[in-house]
């Protein structure tokens, strides 16, 4: 029966009334859409595994936590949970037994989601195939393995509460804020975190290093973050994974592939309108390094030899194929982690039907020394109007170690 239901859902040609009340269908469809915005599958589905049957190990400052089975199986999933218990997991970060969840589950953001939306997600989850799969979520070392320890964390860093509309702002702005700050949990990666993984107060959306990448500031104004991006630029990036400024790599490529490309244009617009209205602190004024600097000269020589064929001599790149390095905020980001990650390991862009060719950036870690990578990174961060702190060979060496430690 459930399998049949799934089959029906996959086939949008069938009239909703095919199996029941129209209202149920729209509730379930809405839940499916909202679960995509929440990107539940990114964590709760293992690579190659059954949908939501328990998934990936999530890195936390304390150790790894595996996302549990949230299929409707009554024994090993959440089939036996009451609606209140499900709401409490999203709103308060609690298990059905009232214990604390770890914030590897993004409840500090999901708490903003209205109860009717949470219930729609539940209605959709209830239609999934129940999978028997017992997941031992908690793989943390003592004392972090004790869930009660999170009571202190919550007291310090967590405030439960649904999104409250700001009546001074438009309905579109409020819809965008509701999604960005809540279900879409953009801050899980883009908010600066303290050593315990809590959000630093006052640095919302201002950028943070995670999983070997730097998620740059996505505030706007003061010459920082998305200042030069229009609403349309932001929508295009989230829908296709690329635009005239940047191409999403690493965790953002996954976020685009799993989640944002499936968000409606109206909702993406709302998110972009909200982001364009978030101000971060002014950028520290930097002077570009002089072109005559020996490091810049060494970097330019490597660039001409290894990079210019794709990114072009003036760093402008080729639209939709090779990203610009001259107008990319992530190239100039205060932390060069993503730039170094891309140069050392290469990367592949997001898969979306809009940008299906997904060109790849080759890895250079094997052929360039730390000094050479530092020089070419310093060059791209200071050529063509860019201005950012130089990169040292020591920086490159520590990023190499960071990346090697992540390789299975
Ligand atoms: C970034 C990763 C991540 C995302 C995204 C995520 N979760 Fe989770 N979730 C987790 C982890 C990890 C746990 C386990 C935490 C723990 O055991 O303390 C968890 C726990 C849960 C639980 C409690 C299950 C149990 O057996 O205790 C529920 C329910 C849940 N998630 C639902 C969702 C839903 C619905 C979504 C999408 C709207 C979602 N999660 C998105 C990582 C995630
Ligand atoms: C899993 C972590 C993660 C999540 C969740 C996430 N991002 Fe990102 N984001 C990143 C990383 C890492 C980058 C840098 C990617 C790169 O260098 O190509 C990035 C880049 C971006 C950029 C490009 C910025 C630039 O200067 O090039 C935008 C815009 C963006 N994210 C918006 C969002 C929005 C909006 C959300 C929520 C819907 C979101 N992100 C959720 C990790 C994440
Ligand atoms: C064969 C073509 C090719 C060559 C050669 C090449 N790149 Fe790339 N590069 C790409 C593509 C394609 C991407 C986008 C892929 C992605 O983001 O996943 C990219 C992405 C990047 C980015 C990330 C841009 C952003 O907005 O986040 C940087 C930085 C970069 N390249 C620097 C270099 C440097 C430095 C060299 C020379 C050492 C180089 N590339 C050589 C094709 C190339």
């Amino acid at each position: 029966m459930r399998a049949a239901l799934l089959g029906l859902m996959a086939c949008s040609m069938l009239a909703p009334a095919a199996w029941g009340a129209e209202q149920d269908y729209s509730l379930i469809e809405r839940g499916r859409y909202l679960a995509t915005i929440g990107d539940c599958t990114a964590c709760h589905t293992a690579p190659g595994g059954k949908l939501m049957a328990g998934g990936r190990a999530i890195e936390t400052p304390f150790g790894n936590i595996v996302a549990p089975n949230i299929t409707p199986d009554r024994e090993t999933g959440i089939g036996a949970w009451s609606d209140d218990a499900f709401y409490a997991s999203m709103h308060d970060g609690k298990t059905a037994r009232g214990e604390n969840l770890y914030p590897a589950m993004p409840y500090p953001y999901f708490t903003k989601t209205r109860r009717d939306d949470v219930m729609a997600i539940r209605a959709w989850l209830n239609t999934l195939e129940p999978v028997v799969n017992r997941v031992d979520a908690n793989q943390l070392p003592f004392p972090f393995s004790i869930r009660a320890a999170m009571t202190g964390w919550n007291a310090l860093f967590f405030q439960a509460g649904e999104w409250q509309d700001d009546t001074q702002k438009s309905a579109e702005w409020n819809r965008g804020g509701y999604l960005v700050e809540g279900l879409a949990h953009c801050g899980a990666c883009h908010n600066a975190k303290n050593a315990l993984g809590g959000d630093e107060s006052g640095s919302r959306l201002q950028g943070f290093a995670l999983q070997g990448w730097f998620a740059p500031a996505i505030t706007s104004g003061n010459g920082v973050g998305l200042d030069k991006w229009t609403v349309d630029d932001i929508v295009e990036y989230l829908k296709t994974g690329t635009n005239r400024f940047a191409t999403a790599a690493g965790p953002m490529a996954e976020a685009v592939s799993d989640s944002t490309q499936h968000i409606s244009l109206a909702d993406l617009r709302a998110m972009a309108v909200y982001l364009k209205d978030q101000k971060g602190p002014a950028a520290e004024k930097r002077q570009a390094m002089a072109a005559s600097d020996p490091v810049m000269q060494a970097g330019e020589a490597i660039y001409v030899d290894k990079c210019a064929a794709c990114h072009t001599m003036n760093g402008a790149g080729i639209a939709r194929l090779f990203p610009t390095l001259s107008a990319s905020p992530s190239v100039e980001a205060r932390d060069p982690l993503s730039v170094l990650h891309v140069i050392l390991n290469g990367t592949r862009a997001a898969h979306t039907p809009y940008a299906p060719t997904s060109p790849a950036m080759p890895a250079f870690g094997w052929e360039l020394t730390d000094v050479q990578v530092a020089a070419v990174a310093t060059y791209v961060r200071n050529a063509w109007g860019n201005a950012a702190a130089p990169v040292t060979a020591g920086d490159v060496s520590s990023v190499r170690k960071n990346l090697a430690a992540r390789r299975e």
Side-chain angles (χ1 to χ4, degrees):
M1 175 60 205
R2 287 189 190 277
L5 207 60
L6 256 185
L8 283 176
M9 287 185 51
C11 176
S12 55
M13 311 263 290
L14 274 173
W19 77 78
E22 197 151 339
Q23 197 196 346
D24 283 350
Y25 173 81
S26 60
L27 181 71
I28 290 165
E29 260 310 292
R30 187 156 68 90
R32 186 194 57 77
Y33 176 68
L34 292 166
T36 305
I37 297 179
D39 206 0
C40 319
T41 195
C43 300
H44 286 279
T45 306
K50 290 258 172 69
L51 192 60
M52 306 295 175
R56 286 202 176 179
I58 315 298
E59 281 180 39
T60 79
F62 320 105
N64 282 355
I65 305 189
V66 182
N69 179 352
I70 57 169
T71 70
D73 181 58
R74 296 184 64 85
E75 296 298 322
T76 63
I78 61 168
W81 288 30
S82 67
D83 282 352
D84 283 347
F86 183 74
Y87 180 69
S89 71
M90 297 280 288
H91 187 75
D92 304 310
K94 298 286 184 192
T95 70
R97 295 214 306 261
E99 292 176 323
N100 294 316
L101 290 171
Y102 291 90
M105 160 73 178
Y107 68 83
Y109 309 94
F110 291 167
T111 188
K112 298 232 162 31
T113 308
R114 287 192 315 267
R115 185 170 172 122
D116 61 321
D117 280 346
V118 173
M119 286 306 124
I121 293 173
R122 173 110 220 245
W124 175 70
L125 286 173
N126 280 342
T127 68
L128 301 184
E129 180 192 347
V131 179
V132 180
N133 182 29
R134 196 169 295 282
V135 174
D136 181 13
N138 189 345
Q139 310 196 340
L140 300 176
F142 182 81
F144 303 119
S145 54
I146 305 195
R147 288 186 179 273
M150 286 297 118
T151 305
W153 193 96
N154 282 340
L156 287 171
F157 308 124
F158 174 55
Q159 204 170 8
E162 294 184 4
W163 170 264
Q164 300 297 323
D165 276 353
D166 179 342
T167 51
Q168 307 292 307
K169 305 283 186 182
S170 68
E172 190 175 44
W173 185 99
N174 278 297
R175 172 70 180 169
Y178 174 69
L179 295 176
V180 165
E181 303 289 353
L183 202 52
H185 63 280
C186 313
C189 298
H190 287 276
N191 287 2
K193 303 277 186 297
N194 59 36
L196 294 175
D199 281 349
E200 292 272 21
S201 55
S203 30
R204 274 181 41 263
L205 306 177
Q206 287 168 30
F208 188 60
L210 80 160
Q211 299 168 24
W213 296 89
F214 184 71
I218 52 172
T219 53
S220 180
N222 292 326
V224 181
L226 305 180
D227 210 27
K228 290 190 200 124
W229 296 31
T230 64
V231 163
D232 287 340
D233 289 326
I234 299 173
V235 170
E236 183 181 3
Y237 180 89
L238 295 173
K239 194 76 187 169
T240 70
T242 180
N243 67 14
R244 64 195 167 115
F245 296 111
T247 302
M252 193 63 207
E254 286 180 39
V256 171
S257 302
D258 288 350
S259 175
T260 64
Q261 67 161 317
H262 304 293
I263 300 178
S264 73
L265 286 172
D267 278 345
L268 289 178
R269 259 197 98 72
M271 291 162 71
V273 163
Y274 176 81
L275 286 174
K276 281 302 288 179
D277 195 37
Q278 304 305 306
K279 298 266 180 296
E284 106 190 60
K285 282 266 171 290
R286 284 206 74 91
Q287 288 261 279
M289 288 175 66
S292 57
D293 185 292
V295 175
M296 287 290 283
Q297 302 225 307
E300 180 173 16
I302 298 166
Y303 184 83
V304 170
D305 187 28
K306 304 284 184 198
C307 322
C310 295
H311 292 286
T312 73
M313 287 298 280
N314 65 3
I318 297 172
R320 310 273 173 301
L321 278 179
F322 303 119
T324 172
L325 304 182
S326 59
S328 161
S330 80
V331 169
E332 282 183 284
R334 61 177 192 275
D335 183 331
L337 182 56
S338 290
V339 174
L340 294 177
H341 193 144
V342 167
I343 297 174
L344 289 170
N345 278 10
T347 166
R348 179 164 282 283
H351 290 272
T352 66
Y354 312 93
T357 43
S358 282
M361 155 88 188
F364 288 92
W366 61 276
E367 62 165 313
L368 298 178
T369 64
D370 290 354
V371 171
Q372 289 173 318
V373 172
V376 75
T378 298
Y379 174 74
V380 299
R381 281 161 66 79
N382 287 280
W384 323 298
N386 289 348
V391 176
T392 66
D395 296 335
V396 179
S397 156
S398 70
V399 172
R400 269 195 212 268
K401 287 196 192 98
N402 175 342
L403 299 181
R406 280 161 204 287
R407 221 165 275 151
E408 256 98 89

